[in-house]
């Protein structure tokens, strides 16, 4: 989540209280419930586990490379020292089960780094998050595309880094028959025609004058 905030900006995220608990056990159960209900596990969201494990003294023994450590903290110190990385990075690697970067990513884990995932994330913010600077009023998204797996299956990953994902008709939403990968010049032409048609280009020109 911290990496996503750094990449997309804090203004793209909001904090909302969705439930309450009276005990640690109650809170852990509700965390599992909401992660499952909202389907926020990677690659659909930013949760990397099903939840239900809170912080604390963290004294559970951890085995790294055949060596048993009395706590995850000690294991993280060892990984940080031997891999020449920060403690925070070491903890993330231990949590993901990828002590060395050469270890293959788990299925779906690497998808969050793809260009398609970044496009999908911006689209969702643009359609669903009214506080987002990407928000587009009165524009909807194909229901199945709310799940990244479906979006990725339908649009794929672009081979050419110079192409853009765009709507053919800017007055319509994000649907399979209205969205394609195209060159940036083609996308710019569509944007220009839309702004000219709606008068937004003229208003923008006057504002910039």
């Amino acid at each position: 989540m911290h990496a996503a905030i750094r990449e997309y900006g804090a203004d793209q995220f909001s904090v909302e209280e969705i439930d309450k608990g009276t005990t640690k056990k109650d809170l852990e159960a509700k965390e599992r419930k909401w992660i499952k209900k909202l389907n926020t596990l990677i690659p659909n969201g930013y949760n990397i586990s099903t939840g239900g494990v809170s912080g604390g003294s963290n004294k559970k023994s951890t085995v790294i490379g055949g060596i048993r450590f009395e706590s995850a903290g000690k294991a993280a110190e060892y990984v940080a020292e031997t891999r020449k990385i920060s403690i925070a990075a070491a903890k993330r690697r231990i949590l993901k089960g990828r002590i060395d970067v050469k270890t293959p990513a788990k299925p779906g884990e690497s998808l969050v780094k793809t260009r398609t995932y970044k496009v999908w994330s911006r689209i969702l913010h643009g359609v669903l998050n009214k506080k987002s600077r990407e928000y587009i009023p009165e524009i909807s998204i194909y229901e199945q595309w709310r799940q990244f797996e479906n979006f990725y299956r339908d649009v794929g990953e672009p081979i050419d880094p110079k192409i853009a994902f765009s709507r053919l008709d800017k007055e319509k939403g994000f649907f399979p028959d209205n969205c394609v990968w195209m060159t940036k010049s083609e996308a710019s032409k569509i944007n220009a025609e839309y702004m000219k048609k709606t008068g937004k280009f003229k208003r923008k020109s006057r504002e910039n004058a």
Side-chain angles (χ1 to χ4, degrees):
M1 177 62 80
H2 293 295
I5 291 175
R6 286 195 297 271
E7 181 174 354
Y8 298 112
D11 60 328
Q12 300 295 314
F13 298 84
S14 61
V15 178
E16 179 183 351
E17 183 180 279
I18 58 176
D19 210 334
K20 294 181 179 180
T22 55
T23 65
K24 176 183 175 183
K25 185 176 181 180
D26 185 30
L27 288 170
E28 291 177 346
K30 288 185 175 181
E31 181 184 29
R32 289 192 294 270
K33 165 193 164 184
W34 282 106
I35 288 176
K36 182 178 180 180
K37 184 174 182 178
L38 299 178
N39 193 25
T40 58
L41 275 175
I42 285 177
N44 300 313
Y46 294 108
N47 288 104
I48 61 175
S49 72
T50 55
V53 180
S54 58
S57 59
N58 204 18
K59 290 296 183 180
K60 184 178 180 180
S61 64
T62 303
V63 178
I64 302 293
I67 305 173
R68 183 175 296 278
F69 297 88
E70 63 180 15
S71 69
K74 293 292 184 181
E77 290 177 4
Y78 169 78
V79 172
E81 175 64 27
T82 56
R83 272 66 175 182
K84 306 302 180 184
I85 58 177
S86 67
I87 294 291
K91 288 181 178 179
R92 286 195 296 271
R93 290 193 186 186
I94 292 173
L95 184 62
K96 293 182 179 181
R98 297 178 61 196
I99 305 304
D100 295 301
V101 294
K102 293 181 180 179
T103 303
K106 296 177 181 178
E109 186 177 84
S110 61
L111 290 178
V112 298
K113 298 180 180 180
T114 63
R115 188 171 174 206
T116 302
Y117 183 87
K118 294 177 181 179
V119 167
W120 172 78
S121 180
R122 285 198 299 271
I123 290 174
L124 276 195
H125 278 293
V127 173
L128 305 177
N129 186 1
K130 293 183 178 181
K131 296 181 180 180
S132 171
R133 60 187 176 189
E134 305 281 349
Y135 182 66
I136 312 172
E138 300 180 1
I139 289 297
S140 57
I141 184 173
Y142 181 46
E143 187 64 29
Q144 291 190 20
W145 280 5
R146 294 191 179 212
Q147 302 297 322
F148 176 65
E149 296 99 322
N150 298 329
F151 181 77
Y152 189 82
R153 178 199 63 209
D154 290 345
V155 308
E157 179 71 8
I159 299 176
D160 187 348
K162 296 181 180 180
I163 64 176
F165 189 79
S166 178
R167 286 173 290 151
L168 296 171
D169 186 340
K170 291 294 183 178
E171 295 182 351
K172 297 181 180 179
F174 293 92
F175 294 88
D177 60 352
N178 192 45
C179 297
V180 295
W181 292 104
M182 62 179 71
T183 64
K184 292 183 178 180
S185 61
E186 290 173 332
S188 296
K189 183 178 180 180
I190 290 176
N191 288 334
E193 290 176 349
Y194 172 70
M195 289 190 290
K196 183 177 180 180
K197 177 181 178 181
T198 58
K200 292 183 178 181
F201 180 77
K202 293 180 180 179
R203 288 197 295 272
K204 186 175 181 181
S205 297
R206 286 198 295 270
E207 290 171 0
N208 292 336

